[in-house]
Amino acid sequence: MTDAPGRILNAAALRKDVDDRPDVCVVGSGPGGAVVAARLAARGLRVTVLEEGGHFPPDQMKMDESWAFPALYQDRGMRATADLAITVLQGRGVGGGTLVNWTTSFRTPPRVLRHWAQAFGVTGLDEKTLEPHFAAVERRLSIAPWPIGAANENNRVLWDGAGKLGYGREVIRRNVTGCQSLGYCGTGCPVGAKNSLDLTYLDDAVRAGAKVYARARVVRLEKAGRRIAAVHAVGLDAAFRPTARKVVVRPRLVVLAAGAIGTPEILLRSGYDPNGKVGRRTFLHPVVGSAGFFTSPIRSFYGAPQSVASHHFSERGAGKVSYFLEAAPVHPVLAGTAFGGFGADHEEQMTRLPNVNALIALAADGFLPEEKGGTVSLRSDGRVRLDYEIRPEIWEALREGSKSLARIQFAAGATEVRSFHEDPVVMRGEGDVALLDRAPWEPLRVAVFSAHPMGGCPMGRDPEKSVVDSRLKVHWLDNAWIVDGSVFPTSLGVNPMESILGVAHWAADHIAGAT
């Protein structure tokens, strides 16, 4: 049972090293870790959470990209694949990626759950099983549809254009309460309207007695037989450099929830990869964008970042990679890195920022039998490395997705549409969309992004082909579970936050039973 009030501590500011002995150590405080920590602490278990990011309450959020990327994102917002072909935007902090995501909330599509059962032998995880868990997290985070009447002009372009073309469209559900439509979700909500995990489930965990160490980077897991005996972490200063302060946690159970890159990294650094599958089958939802220029103001930097989606192309048939469509905010740094062109041409695009609409197409990777995904590994100096080959089937989906975006933008009234190629494809009408077929769809010739790393520790029946079983326990360890997006055997075809929340809520029940 808990014997002291919970609190959030800065590991770098501790006066002495810590040797903690709780019932459960949770590594990571995002959608997986926060939910598990809250549910286990509510049962009276002593819970310690280790989070390498800092603790930033709403009153510390600055609505400033130059502050937010270094403070709230992995690698200062410049995380990328080893060949630099894909930029990976991944949050870091108490609350994980929910500090900076765009509040988009989708349940796991039933067809995805069925595919996992058929292709990977996942059992006991279906729509009916997850229903009460999704309902619970939706209540706690106030997840509800964002009315189309409140959509900003950026999202209205997707809604209006898709409607005119007869494409399926829907409003998005968002995890907000009292949203002021500031538009700066990606730099941290300064009014606390976003129900991020630091303000909800992690706060619940702390109130129930959990201890959270911020700026505590896990460097290795100490193994004893088939158990993890200790979790070793070091404090990080404000620049995320290691300090001399150490935190050692010796729990009965360990829950790894450091994300699809962080969890494999920790296991590999600790030497735990007996079947060679840790870090394999990593999926990214590769993304391409399209900039539409309008005569009237769009002001894509204000309002809910994402409130409309189209899943019209979510099932394209055998041999095809599916894709889905959303809008993206257009703040200066994000736009500056995405827009193609150089010099005066790039500057001219930036001067038209108030009149720019940005739409994105996200490829649903991992469903074709030949797709193996990317790989998380360690470099010779110990740093993490992410490799991801964009297969021809994915390039085809990104090209077709880009064409769908351009058609939507023209249908909504754009006078010009530009691709995000190094040398942008400039289109001035529907007839020019075919120019995209002749564009160079190659690494480093077009901007490709990801904000949804998944996989790397996939679940499955066969211990030789997966890392965790259908209840998320690590196959070769008796007291360790993985509860984050790394356990997904494929991508999802929807934004992953709510899927991780729901699965974590479900997993907490049988993790608690193991105590």
Side-chain angles (χ1 to χ4, degrees):
M1 299 294 289
T2 55
D3 55 8
R7 52 204 182 276
I8 298 177
L9 303 159
N10 180 350
L14 295 170
R15 295 184 178 180
K16 60 181 181 179
D17 292 345
V18 170
D19 192 304
D20 196 12
R21 298 172 184 266
D23 296 309
V24 184
C25 177
V26 178
V27 179
S29 64
V35 172
V36 170
R39 299 207 71 210
L40 297 185
R43 293 171 180 252
L45 296 172
R46 295 169 297 168
V47 176
T48 295
V49 180
L50 302 175
E51 166 59 54
E52 78 167 25
H55 179 217
F56 299 98
D59 61 3
Q60 294 185 24
M61 301 300 186
K62 304 177 187 295
M63 295 177 63
D64 181 345
E65 289 176 285
S66 66
W67 172 83
F69 282 112
L72 303 177
Y73 286 80
Q74 291 283 0
D75 298 334
R76 304 173 67 88
M78 295 185 289
R79 172 162 279 185
T81 51
D83 62 0
L84 305 181
I86 306 176
T87 300
V88 181
L89 294 171
Q90 190 176 25
R92 172 171 59 182
V94 174
T98 67
L99 286 177
V100 295
N101 70 11
W102 299 339
T103 74
T104 302
S105 304
F106 286 102
R107 293 186 179 189
T108 313
R111 68 177 182 280
V112 173
L113 297 172
R114 290 193 295 270
H115 180 75
W116 292 352
Q118 294 163 3
F120 302 99
V122 174
T123 59
L125 197 63
D126 53 32
E127 184 179 13
K128 183 178 180 180
T129 298
L130 286 175
E131 162 61 36
H133 301 284
F134 282 137
V137 299
E138 287 164 2
R139 287 192 300 271
R140 182 65 187 92
L141 272 62
S142 300
I143 293 174
W146 192 249
I148 190 60
N152 65 3
E153 290 300 318
N154 199 42
N155 283 270
R156 285 300 305 229
V157 168
L158 178 54
W159 180 264
D160 293 342
K164 289 181 180 179
L165 294 172
Y167 295 169
R169 60 186 182 176
E170 61 189 296
V171 294
I172 287 174
R173 297 181 307 154
R174 305 180 62 224
N175 57 304
V176 295
T177 303
C179 177
Q180 301 300 299
S181 293
L182 299 176
Y184 282 75
C185 297
T187 62
C189 182
V191 296
K194 183 198 293 191
N195 292 318
S196 51
L197 273 295
D198 55 320
L199 304 181
T200 52
Y201 278 104
L202 205 63
D203 184 60
D204 295 345
V206 171
R207 291 175 184 274
K211 286 187 289 187
V212 179
Y213 290 93
R215 298 195 180 278
R217 173 180 289 160
V218 173
V219 292
R220 71 182 178 93
L221 308 172
E222 180 185 332
K223 187 179 173 187
R226 287 181 55 90
R227 300 179 64 82
I228 294 176
V231 181
H232 295 262
V234 298
L236 300 177
D237 65 18
F240 296 101
R241 296 171 302 205
T243 67
R245 195 59 62 221
K246 296 179 176 61
V247 178
V248 179
V249 184
R250 306 179 193 277
R252 289 194 289 141
L253 303 180
V254 174
V255 176
L256 298 176
I261 297 175
T263 291
E265 177 186 3
I266 291 168
L267 287 170
L268 291 169
R269 184 171 289 119
S270 304
Y272 297 169
D273 186 22
N275 64 2
K277 300 303 179 185
V278 171
R280 305 287 177 171
R281 293 195 64 82
T282 297
F283 299 104
L284 298 178
H285 274 170
V287 178
V288 291
S290 182
F293 295 84
F294 289 74
T295 56
S296 57
I298 300 294
R299 300 187 182 92
S300 301
F301 32 78
Y302 295 139
Q306 287 184 337
S307 58
V308 173
S310 172
H311 288 87
H312 187 78
F313 302 96
S314 287
E315 298 185 65
R316 300 179 64 216
K320 296 283 189 180
V321 171
S322 299
Y323 58 87
F324 58 107
L325 312 176
E326 295 176 339
V330 186
H331 295 98
V333 172
L334 201 56
T337 58
F339 286 176
F342 296 92
D345 178 54
H346 189 275
E347 180 182 16
E348 192 273 336
Q349 291 180 72
M350 294 298 291
T351 63
R352 293 194 281 167
L353 205 62
N355 290 58
V356 172
N357 154 259
L359 300 181
I360 55 176
L362 302 88
D365 49 342
F367 291 92
L368 300 183
E370 58 269 29
E371 283 188 273
K372 305 304 180 186
T375 303
V376 175
S377 61
L378 297 179
R379 300 177 187 269
S380 58
D381 62 1
R383 292 182 299 126
V384 71
R385 173 187 174 116
L386 172 63
D387 290 276
Y388 187 96
E389 177 190 3
I390 304 178
R391 293 176 53 86
E393 301 91 341
I394 295 176
W395 280 124
E396 186 273 342
L398 295 177
R399 185 186 72 240
E400 292 304 307
S402 189
K403 290 160 68 175
S404 298
L405 298 178
R407 293 186 180 108
I408 287 170
Q409 289 166 318
F410 283 126
T415 58
E416 179 183 312
V417 174
R418 289 181 174 233
S419 72
F420 287 173
H421 281 81
E422 176 186 36
D423 185 10
V425 177
V426 180
M427 297 160 276
R428 293 188 170 86
E430 164 69 26
D432 290 338
V433 173
L435 295 174
L436 289 167
D437 287 325
R438 301 198 292 271
W441 296 94
E442 304 167 4
L444 304 176
R445 299 294 299 278
V446 60
V448 182
F449 298 89
S450 171
H452 302 161
M454 290 166 278
C457 295
M459 68 175 93
R461 177 191 298 119
D462 189 345
E464 294 303 314
K465 297 180 180 179
S466 56
V467 175
V468 298
D469 64 19
S470 294
R471 288 199 163 196
L472 310 191
K473 191 184 78 66
V474 178
H475 283 301
W476 55 86
L477 292 169
D478 292 336
N479 70 332
W481 283 258
I482 299 176
V483 187
D484 57 25
S486 73
V487 302
F488 299 155
T490 66
S491 72
L492 299 172
V494 295
N495 302 55
M497 178 185 69
E498 188 173 350
S499 290
I500 301 172
L501 291 168
V503 168
H505 199 276
W506 162 80
D509 287 339
H510 47 262
I511 294 172
T515 61

